[in-house]
Amino acid sequence: MSYRSGIEWTETTWNPTTGCDRVSSGCDNCYALTLAKRLKAMGNPRYQNDGDPKLSGPGFKITLHEDLLERPYRWRAPRLIFVNSMSDLFHPEVPLDFIQKVFRVMADTPRHTYQVLTKRSKRLMSLNSELEWPPNVWMGVSVETQRYTFRIDHLRCVDAAVRFVSAEPLLEALPDLDLTSIHWLIAGGESGHKARPVEEEWVRDLRDQCAVAGVAFFFKQWGGRTPKAGGRELDSVHHDDMPPVGEDFW
């Protein structure tokens, strides 16, 4: 599945895999699982909710979509593409050869810019040398609490041209982050009926840390019961910075 996205920091999503399972507190109210249930009820064959008990928590089954690998070749105009909004490319049940196929598509379409985000940072780091990293691939990790800041250390070991951190849903303060070799940070509160609150000071501190470290800062949302409930302004300003990359990547 691929479509024009409502996610503020991207344009289009591309899901050569679907399915995932919970690995940390940021997954507790997973939007992808909720959406997958809805899509399954509508009869969409790409989504299943039969979580694998061998994995770390309930989820929806990892499925590889070979027929979607060619989709970016069809898009003639350059796009900013979020890869696997409904999955995690570095999930342990996604085979290395399939990950390599995804990377080959990204390398073959340099007119596009690809944003890949994972919570499986250890596997990402371990596979770094098995992958070719074209300059149009941005690699990110999710960090929702201090417990998971180690993911940034793993990310630093990866040969991506742009490395970014997604602090969304931001569930507590993240003081004194080591942002060495990080180019972009996205922060945001959780949305949905069970949204956990985000404190303004947590977001301000991340903004200020980015300013000191020279890291582009993007504030996505305050969150709440509906995606736009709290708006996007921090101290009356929209923070929409993107990482500094060459014009050829856009």
Side-chain angles (χ1 to χ4, degrees), residues 7-9 26 117 119 142-144 165-171 186-191 220-221:
I7 299 171
E8 288 82 352
W9 45 264
L117 184 61
K119 288 185 174 70
S142 298
V143 178
E144 62 267 43
V165 173
S166 175
E168 184 192 8
L170 183 59
L171 300 179
I186 304 163
E190 190 170 43
S191 53
K220 180 175 178 287
Q221 64 179 14

Side-chain angles (χ1 to χ4, degrees), residues 5-241:
S5 176
I7 299 171
E8 288 82 352
W9 45 264
T10 198
E11 295 175 350
T12 301
T13 59
W14 171 45
N15 284 288
T17 74
T18 54
C20 204
D21 61 284
R22 298 184 179 106
V23 293
S24 60
S25 53
C27 304
D28 289 351
N29 299 320
C30 177
Y31 76 89
L33 177 57
T34 300
L35 180 56
K37 290 178 180 178
R38 189 181 311 148
L39 291 168
K40 182 181 180 182
M42 294 168 61
N44 190 312
R46 296 194 189 274
Y47 294 91
Q48 303 176 60
N49 296 325
D50 47 346
D52 187 337
K54 294 182 295 182
L55 300 178
S56 58
F60 53 110
K61 185 178 180 181
I62 286 286
T63 308
L64 311 182
H65 302 288
E66 293 271 357
D67 61 312
L68 294 182
L69 285 173
E70 47 73 43
R71 186 63 56 85
Y73 294 105
R74 299 184 192 174
W75 298 330
R76 299 299 182 187
R79 297 189 183 190
L80 187 60
I81 302 170
F82 178 23
V83 181
N84 279 355
S85 63
M86 296 294 292
S87 187
D88 187 328
L89 188 61
F90 291 91
H91 189 285
E93 292 207 345
V94 179
L96 172 59
D97 66 335
F98 193 84
I99 298 173
Q100 290 171 329
K101 289 179 182 179
V102 171
F103 269 69
R104 173 49 52 195
V105 173
M106 296 190 292
D108 285 349
T109 52
R111 62 187 176 276
H112 302 314
T113 299
Y114 294 90
Q115 301 158 308
V116 184
L117 184 61
T118 187
K119 288 185 174 70
R120 276 80 176 182
S121 61
K122 185 176 181 180
R123 187 174 189 222
L124 165 67
M125 180 177 63
S126 71
L127 295 182
N128 177 61
S129 62
E130 303 288 337
L131 302 171
E132 295 184 12
W133 291 90
N136 61 328
V137 174
W138 302 359
M139 189 66 232
V141 295
S142 298
V143 178
E144 62 267 43
T145 65
Q146 295 182 60
R147 179 178 179 181
Y148 300 106
T149 57
F150 67 84
R151 292 172 180 161
I152 304 176
D153 297 324
H154 293 165
L155 178 64
R156 248 188 294 277
C157 300
V158 171
D159 295 327
V162 171
R163 290 176 289 273
F164 70 96
V165 173
S166 175
E168 184 192 8
L170 183 59
L171 300 179
E172 66 180 27
L174 298 175
D176 302 319
L177 290 179
D178 182 356
L179 296 176
T180 304
S181 299
I182 302 302
H183 305 96
W184 190 34
L185 187 145
I186 304 163
E190 190 170 43
S191 53
H193 293 293
K194 299 180 180 179
R196 290 161 284 186
V198 60
E199 299 291 335
E200 290 187 17
E201 285 306 315
W202 304 349
V203 182
R204 285 195 187 98
D205 181 56
L206 287 177
R207 176 199 62 192
D208 295 345
Q209 288 187 61
C210 287
V212 170
V215 173
F217 177 72
F218 192 107
F219 181 51
K220 180 175 178 287
Q221 64 179 14
W222 288 109
R225 291 175 61 86
T226 61
K228 306 296 183 181
R232 298 187 54 237
E233 289 189 359
L234 171 62
D235 296 331
S236 302
V237 175
H238 283 134
H239 294 274
D240 296 326
D241 291 347

